[in-house]
Amino acid sequence: MSALPRGSTRSGANIRVTGLVKRFRSGGGTIVGADQIDLTVPAGATVAVTGPSGSGKSTLLHLIGAIERADEGRIEVDDIEVTGLSGRRLARYRSGIGFVFQRFHLLPALSALDNVLAPLLPIRTGFDKVERARGLLAEVGLGDRERAQPGQLSGGQQQRVAIARALVGQPRLLLADEPTGNLDSATGDEIMNLLWRLRDEHGMTLLMATHEASLADRCERTVRIHDGRIV
Ligand SMILES: Nc1ncnc2c1ncn2[C@@H]1O[C@H](COP(=O)(O)OP(=O)(O)O)[C@@H](O)[C@H]1O
Ligand SMILES: [Mg+2]
């Protein structure tokens, strides 16, 4: 594993976004989810993306993670021009991004271990996949719950499984979309502490959408968006 000394925050991916536009068709009209966004995030930084519901936080994360495709503009992550990728290169880029969602998005019929393992199944690795998945479950404090299914776990435990899954591909960039939005505040604090620790230990850039000021305050920088624009 590419573990770095604790406290090292100068690893991870550089992000450069320029003139990013995303439009959605809705009914007869068009909604602009991202409106000429320019954003630079240096390697290892932790940046909060804040704004009211519907302002475009998820859209921005989805575009950077290549879950959705931009209509205009450029996204560069390290030396990769994400907006120009397709096919296998796009799949490889996606497999190198960690994504944590508000609603966990675990597969309910699979065990915790198999959920963490799932992203590795389609790809060839030079390491033992099961050992990697086990190691990550242990890192998030669930080494004794490998066989549990999501329905047998609390919300906080499910989010820990989802975080282990996000890290299994050794991402240099972790995108977290309201990762504590479905959790009570004490559990949310535990999840935030875990994300911070893993960011340092694994050397990642962390971009986090949140509308909670207390979470944004922990980040080095806050980017506010409104109606798809940075304000
Ligand atoms: N797939 C979609 N189809 C149509 N409209 C969408 C879609 N995804 C997002 N939007 C719209 O884009 C805007 C930004 O949404 P979103 O990025 O989800 O905001 P946030 O995450 O800040 O709540 C909203 O008006 C939303 O309704
Ligand atoms: Mg959202």
Side-chain angles (χ1 to χ4, degrees):
M1 267 215 207
S2 58
L4 287 161
R6 270 194 88 152
S8 166
T9 57
R10 292 300 128 197
S11 186
N14 281 287
I15 307 171
R16 187 144 48 122
V17 170
T18 41
L20 197 64
V21 176
K22 175 68 181 178
R23 301 180 195 93
F24 297 108
R25 281 171 228 318
S26 163
T30 302
I31 293 168
V32 183
D35 190 1
Q36 292 292 342
I37 290 191
D38 296 321
L39 175 67
T40 302
V41 179
T46 299
V47 174
V49 179
T50 65
S53 185
S55 58
K57 302 181 295 297
S58 296
T59 299
L60 179 60
L61 265 53
H62 292 168
L63 292 169
I64 292 172
I67 292 175
E68 293 190 274
R69 199 170 263 288
D71 292 307
E72 292 171 31
R74 260 169 99 91
I75 300 167
E76 291 155 277
V77 174
D78 291 331
D79 53 355
I80 300 168
E81 199 203 323
V82 178
T83 29
L85 295 177
S86 59
R88 286 172 64 166
R89 294 172 71 204
L90 179 60
R92 190 178 328 137
Y93 170 76
R94 283 202 190 112
S95 73
I97 303 290
F99 219 114
V100 177
F101 301 91
Q102 179 175 354
R103 292 182 184 278
F104 324 136
H105 290 326
L106 300 175
L107 295 166
L110 298 186
S111 68
L113 183 64
D114 286 341
N115 266 284
V116 177
L117 196 52
L120 294 180
L121 294 179
I123 58 177
R124 248 179 210 276
T125 60
F127 53 82
D128 185 316
K129 296 176 184 181
V130 175
E131 283 313 305
R132 161 77 37 84
R134 285 217 157 98
L136 280 164
L137 268 184
E139 266 193 79
V140 299
L142 290 175
D144 57 346
R145 301 308 306 275
E146 283 181 9
R147 308 279 18 129
Q149 290 183 333
Q152 300 168 311
L153 298 172
S154 69
Q157 289 173 326
Q158 290 182 59
Q159 194 61 303
R160 286 170 187 271
V161 174
I163 290 168
R165 176 185 59 186
L167 297 191
V168 81
Q170 294 188 294
R172 287 163 50 73
L173 172 59
L174 185 61
L175 301 170
D177 194 353
E178 311 216 28
T180 64
N182 255 23
L183 304 172
D184 64 72
S185 64
T187 308
D189 283 348
E190 285 171 26
I191 291 295
M192 292 306 290
N193 291 337
L194 176 66
L195 285 174
W196 254 244
R197 173 165 68 78
L198 293 169
R199 176 205 65 178
D200 289 347
E201 289 175 358
H202 292 260
M204 296 180 291
T205 301
L206 175 55
L207 190 58
M208 181 175 64
T210 180
H211 53 240
E212 290 176 55
S214 63
L215 301 191
D217 286 348
R218 288 185 66 164
C219 298
E220 289 158 31
R221 202 174 123 208
T222 297
V223 173
R224 271 173 224 292
I225 52 177
H226 195 85
D227 291 341
R229 281 179 178 270
I230 292 187
V231 292

